[in-house]
Amino acid sequence: PTYIRLRLLPKEPVISKLEKFILYETQSYMYVVGCDKLQSEYRMLKLDRKIVHPGSLSEVVSEDECVYTKEELKDMLEMIHEGNRAQGGLVRVATGYGILGFVR
């Protein structure tokens, strides 16, 4: 008989490791934007600030499946800002190089 040896490999990340993180906020949401070392690919998490007692993390956090270029991210952030202009718009809160955790 012929045997096939299978080796399980860990799932590869969508993009290389995220290195730099920027936190933005609107009245209703917080957005965590992460980019790779070359600042050529960007990912975004959206955190709902309106949920008082979430039953699970997935009720609060949603991950955008898109991988953005710098220009695409700029356009997306501008749309979020314009859509929230009446409530103060989108505000850049902090920039960092790691995430330790979230406190609500």
Side-chain angles (χ1 to χ4, degrees), residues 11-91:
K11 186 176 178 184
E12 291 295 319
V14 176
I15 61 174
S16 59
K17 293 181 183 180
L18 299 177
E19 184 174 280
K20 181 179 178 182
F21 298 90
I22 303 170
L23 178 65
Y24 296 91
E25 68 179 356
T26 64
Q27 188 175 11
S28 300
Y29 296 97
M30 296 184 88
Y31 299 88
V32 178
V33 175
C35 67
D36 63 354
K37 188 173 187 170
L38 300 175
Q39 295 187 12
S40 62
E41 296 181 321
Y42 297 80
R43 298 292 308 267
M44 184 184 300
L45 290 176
K46 181 178 176 182
L47 293 87
D48 193 336
R49 300 174 75 178
K50 301 180 305 279
I51 298 177
V52 179
H53 299 290
S56 68
L57 188 60
S58 62
E59 291 179 32
V60 179
V61 179
S62 60
E63 180 179 6
D64 191 332
E65 295 294 323
C66 294
V67 177
Y68 296 99
T69 65
K70 194 170 196 168
E71 278 301 312
E72 291 168 338
L73 179 68
K74 182 180 173 185
D75 292 343
M76 174 61 77
L77 295 174
E78 183 63 29
M79 285 190 289
I80 295 169
H81 177 70
E82 289 300 322
N84 290 277
R85 186 177 288 279
Q87 294 83 27
L90 182 69
V91 178

